């Protein structure tokens, strides 16, 4: 995983331009089972997770209509680089004492899954994007300069994750504009950043990973 304030984990995806357009900048969350996991550097807009108080990912409009609908189709042939992946979408009960490791363990053991190309970040992705010395801090206490200024994934706005609150059918976990993890009603409009896993045949061919010289991808 990449962690810390501003690691060199930028990737140009969806464009072959010499200078990567800002809208095509993504960042590497990490490499999992041989597949690079990306997240869009900026939000594609503020949207409801669902308009009908439903926190079941397989049927939410954000999933089927937006991310795996208009957004995916808009990528054109670049979508061939994206792997169909098993997303852990069962969620977890809310706790203000969970660390990134505790959230990750719950996500990993979740039996409710959904196969698709596009998803959102997990709660644990956000937690582990902070500097390692912060990983024992509860994510509810990430709302301080030390944690958010040393977390490259922090946007400074309310943002959705893919993880639902299993205790309340209308709530989903998200990152607040002050940096802590809590939950929000699905009808609220929060920032959305698509996340996905690249096919294992996709490799980094050039670049240094900075925002001005991002990694360039190629298919092996």
């Amino acid at each position: 995983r990449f962690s810390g304030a501003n690691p060199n984990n930028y990737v140009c995806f969806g464009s072959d331009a010499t200078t990567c357009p800002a809208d095509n900048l993504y960042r590497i969350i990490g490499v999992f089972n041989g597949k690079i996991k990306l997240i869009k550097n900026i939000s594609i807009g503020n949207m409801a997770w669902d308009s009908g108080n439903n926190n079941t990912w397989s049927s939410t409009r954000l999933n089927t209509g937006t991310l795996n609908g208009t957004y995916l189709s808009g990528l054109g042939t670049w979508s061939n680089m994206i792997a169909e992946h098993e997303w852990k979408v069962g969620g977890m009960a809310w706790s203000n004492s969970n660390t990134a490791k505790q959230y990750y363990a719950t996500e990993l053991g979740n039996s409710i899954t959904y196969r698709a190309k596009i998803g959102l970040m997990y709660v644990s992705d956000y937690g582990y994007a902070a500097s390692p010395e912060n990983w024992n801090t509860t994510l509810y206490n990430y709302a301080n300069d030390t944690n958010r200024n040393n977390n490259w994934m922090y946007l400074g706005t309310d943002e959705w994750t893919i993880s639902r609150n299993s205790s309340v059918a209308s709530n989903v976990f998200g990152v607040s504009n002050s940096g802590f993890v809590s939950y929000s009603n699905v009808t609220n409009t929060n920032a959305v950043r698509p996340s996905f896993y690249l096919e294992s045949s996709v490799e980094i061919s050039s670049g240094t990973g900075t925002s001005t010289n991002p990694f360039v991808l190629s298919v092996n």
Side-chain angles (χ1 to χ4, degrees):
R1 292 180 182 269
F2 283 89
S3 61
N6 190 29
N8 294 333
N9 61 342
Y10 287 91
V11 171
C12 191
F13 185 86
S15 174
D16 292 318
T18 303
T19 300
C20 188
D23 193 49
N24 295 102
L25 281 176
Y26 290 72
R27 301 189 78 169
I28 301 173
I29 294 176
V31 180
F32 304 88
N33 297 319
K35 295 178 180 177
I36 299 170
K37 185 178 184 181
L38 300 182
I39 187 170
K40 198 166 177 18
N41 184 47
I42 58 175
S43 168
I44 60 172
N46 285 3
M47 307 173 194
W49 208 86
D50 187 73
S51 59
N53 281 335
N54 170 34
N55 70 357
T56 301
W57 181 251
S58 60
S59 59
T60 179
R61 181 68 179 169
L62 178 59
N63 166 28
T64 59
T66 302
L67 295 177
N68 287 289
T70 53
Y71 169 78
L72 181 61
S73 62
L75 294 176
T77 57
W78 286 81
S79 65
N80 296 330
M81 287 188 177
I82 301 174
E84 185 176 287
H85 196 79
E86 184 177 83
W87 297 84
K88 304 284 189 174
V89 294
M92 63 210 83
W94 159 248
S95 170
N96 62 6
S97 62
N98 281 352
T99 63
K101 181 178 181 179
Q102 289 168 312
Y103 277 121
Y104 178 72
T106 303
E107 291 162 356
L108 197 65
N110 206 298
S111 61
I112 301 176
T113 60
Y114 181 81
R115 291 195 67 84
K117 287 198 170 188
I118 311 297
L120 298 172
M121 67 177 177
Y122 290 116
V123 171
S124 62
D125 288 333
Y126 175 74
Y128 280 128
S131 297
E133 63 268 22
N134 304 128
W135 290 353
N136 289 324
T137 302
T138 63
L139 268 63
Y140 186 68
N141 290 325
Y142 265 35
N144 60 74
D145 287 342
T146 300
N147 289 91
R148 59 185 172 223
N149 291 345
N150 289 293
N151 188 324
W152 66 264
M153 204 176 279
Y154 172 64
L155 272 187
T157 188
D158 296 328
E159 180 178 3
W160 289 121
T161 75
I162 200 172
S163 306
R164 69 174 182 167
N165 182 347
S166 59
S167 301
V168 183
S170 60
N171 288 348
V172 172
F173 286 91
V175 178
S176 76
N177 57 17
S178 58
F180 67 89
V181 170
S182 185
Y183 57 85
S184 180
N185 188 279
V186 292
T187 59
N188 291 339
T189 53
N190 295 337
V192 171
R193 280 193 291 173
S195 179
F196 49 85
Y197 297 81
L198 299 176
E199 294 281 5
S200 56
S201 58
V202 177
E203 297 179 344
I204 292 169
S205 60
S206 63
T208 59
T210 64
S211 59
T212 55
N213 187 26
F215 293 125
V216 175
L217 303 173
S218 64
V219 178
N220 183 11

